[in-house]
Amino acid sequence: MSDHDFISGTKPIPLESGEGPYLYSTDGTEYLDAGASYACTPLGHSHPAVVEAIREQVGDLTFVDSSYPVDSRENAYAALVASAPDGFESAWLCNSGTEANEAALKFARSSTGDSKIIAATRSFHGRTMGSLAATWKDTYKKPFEPLAGDVEFVPYGDSEELTEAVDEETAAVILEPIQGEGGINVPPAGYLECAREVTEEADAALVLDEVQTGMGRTGSMWACQNVGVTPDVLTTAKGLGNGLPVGGVVVRDWIADGAASHNATFSGGPVVTAAVHATISTLLEEEWPTHAAEMGEYLRGELEATLGDEVREVRGEGLLVGIELKRGANRAARDLAIDHQVLALPAGRTVLRLLPPLVIDTEEADRLVDALAAVIAPDDP
Ligand SMILES: Cc1ncc(COP(=O)(O)O)c(C=O)c1O
């Protein structure tokens, strides 16, 4: 296996099964999955409750469009809305995170009658034309310009600049409660509260993109609950179906009308909604968000204690953890995988990102820290 393959994004690790936080390659090697395949398996791989729900549903009715009531779909919608903070009345399911954000921006425009979107530097909201327009990095955007949308970027975390940018022509402010792809950036205290206040004053929608932060990862079901800010639109995907392709847009009443003319053929198909219902129910009944808060604190504490001097910063919330390295993150991820059978993800050039399934225990967290210590401080005597 060559370094080049790994660093260019093709990991030479042929996988065939998974259980909990572990993945197994075809030669039987066990890998500790500290990336949860980009946060898509909060309950761990092939969780029995989700597998069983999918199996049952696929045999009964694999697909029927969303104009027919089906228990699986209704249960998933009810569970998703109930899991959100008070004030949300309805939801719409789609197939991915970018599609959820695309819909959120459309809903905000049709509900407000305005078109301007405010997004943040270092944001990532997806790769379709509208979500991409609200994404910061030029490397994702340049080849596809012009993009869809009148988007103004403000520095992430700067309340003053945000306040200045929002006006009566603003349809929406779209923010990640903690930025994921942009490097695990936690905003300063009061920032999301300010976003709530200024959007309310301007009759604009506050869209919180919880595609990466949601589903219990930051210690609450949704990261906005950590700071008591209720947006007008909350978007989700990744872990929503514990690995099945599904996204969701949860909306307050005044936005729901603006959503009426939007749909997609595969919206809320019975098999993915069986997975959504099983995932949300299991997460909440077994209190995995609380476990994520505790394990996150433990993991970040151990990382600080072990690597404090070797890295620039350890940051994050719950099990959304970023380690700002003094070296390239791609290479560190490669060394962790090949030499220590630990799978982590880069988030930008120098940030290593840990998004393990929420079910990891202290022993697995210790294994992770030991592997990181070996990779990050290998030259120490
Ligand atoms: C915060 C955030 N929003 C949106 C997306 C896009 O999701 P998807 O890849 O499912 O389209 C991502 C993916 O990384 C994300 O992290």
Side-chain angles (χ1 to χ4, degrees):
M1 70 192 57
S2 79
D3 287 357
H4 176 74
D5 276 353
F6 201 95
I7 288 165
S8 68
T10 312
K11 303 177 179 81
I13 303 169
L15 296 171
E16 70 176 0
S17 64
E19 190 181 346
Y22 293 103
L23 286 164
Y24 298 91
S25 62
T26 46
D27 66 1
T29 308
E30 179 184 270
Y31 290 84
L32 177 58
D33 185 5
S37 272
Y38 291 90
C40 288
T41 56
L43 292 172
H45 293 282
S46 302
H47 188 281
V50 182
V51 170
E52 190 48 38
I54 294 169
R55 278 211 176 109
E56 242 177 63
Q57 185 59 49
V58 83
D60 286 348
L61 179 62
T62 303
F63 186 73
V64 65
D65 75 74
S66 62
S67 58
Y68 300 95
V70 174
D71 277 355
S72 166
R73 177 181 297 124
E74 303 209 341
N75 291 339
Y77 271 98
L80 177 58
V81 174
S83 78
D86 286 348
F88 284 100
E89 281 85 16
S90 51
W92 179 72
L93 291 175
C94 53
N95 308 283
S96 66
T98 194
E99 200 186 338
N101 287 326
E102 195 86 20
L105 298 178
K106 282 180 70 179
F107 298 172
R109 281 190 172 176
S110 64
S111 300
T112 60
D114 294 317
S115 63
K116 189 166 99 174
I117 307 293
I118 310 286
T121 55
R122 295 192 286 176
S123 60
F124 186 88
H125 298 296
R127 296 172 192 259
T128 49
M129 294 298 251
S131 304
L132 189 58
T135 289
W136 168 247
K137 224 167 151 184
D138 265 352
T139 45
Y140 296 129
K141 298 195 289 189
K142 273 282 174 230
F144 310 107
E145 284 176 353
L147 301 170
D150 172 13
V151 181
E152 182 181 333
F153 288 91
V154 291
Y156 186 70
D158 187 327
S159 292
E160 254 174 59
E161 294 258 8
L162 179 64
T163 305
E164 223 164 273
V166 177
D167 59 26
E168 65 282 0
E169 280 158 28
T170 306
V173 171
I174 181 166
L175 296 170
E176 295 155 82
I178 297 172
Q179 289 185 324
E181 301 296 312
I184 314 298
N185 306 314
V186 183
Y191 180 62
L192 295 173
E193 290 87 335
C194 168
R196 179 62 288 179
E197 211 176 293
V198 295
T199 43
E200 220 154 68
E201 273 166 21
D203 291 326
L206 176 62
V207 178
L208 288 184
D209 175 349
E210 295 245 21
V211 167
Q212 193 156 156
T213 52
M215 297 302 288
R217 178 153 298 281
T218 69
S220 298
M221 186 64 178
W222 306 104
C224 63
Q225 292 168 316
N226 290 335
V227 288
V229 169
T230 303
D232 300 296
V233 185
L234 183 157
T235 60
T236 171
K238 290 197 184 286
L240 182 59
N242 207 53
L244 257 59
V246 56
V249 190
V250 195
V251 298
R252 299 175 93 154
D253 248 357
W254 73 276
I255 300 281
D257 291 345
S261 66
H262 183 82
N263 211 346
T265 304
F266 280 124
S267 169
V271 175
V272 293
T273 50
V276 169
H277 181 247
T279 305
I280 294 177
S281 307
T282 308
L283 270 175
L284 292 176
E285 278 159 22
E286 297 181 0
E287 300 184 3
W288 289 113
T290 307
H291 180 77
E294 291 162 4
M295 283 306 304
E297 204 169 312
Y298 176 79
L299 176 61
R300 280 179 282 116
E302 292 297 301
L303 287 169
E304 290 273 10
T306 313
L307 296 173
D309 295 336
E310 308 295 335
V311 299
R312 293 210 160 85
E313 194 182 16
V314 176
R315 55 184 183 246
E317 186 103 38
L319 288 172
L320 179 65
V321 178
I323 307 166
E324 178 100 42
L325 305 176
K326 296 177 182 172
R327 54 176 285 203
N330 269 340
R331 183 68 198 206
R334 180 259 174 228
D335 292 348
L336 277 171
I338 304 301
D339 301 338
H340 300 278
Q341 293 73 53
V342 166
L343 306 178
L345 296 163
R349 220 169 40 80
T350 55
V351 178
L352 198 64
R353 179 171 31 160
L354 306 179
L355 316 166
L358 310 189
V359 300
I360 62 159
D361 58 23
T362 47
E363 217 172 285
E364 285 146 356
D366 289 343
R367 179 174 160 194
L368 195 48
V369 175
D370 289 346
L372 278 156
V375 162
I376 288 164
D379 299 326
D380 283 1

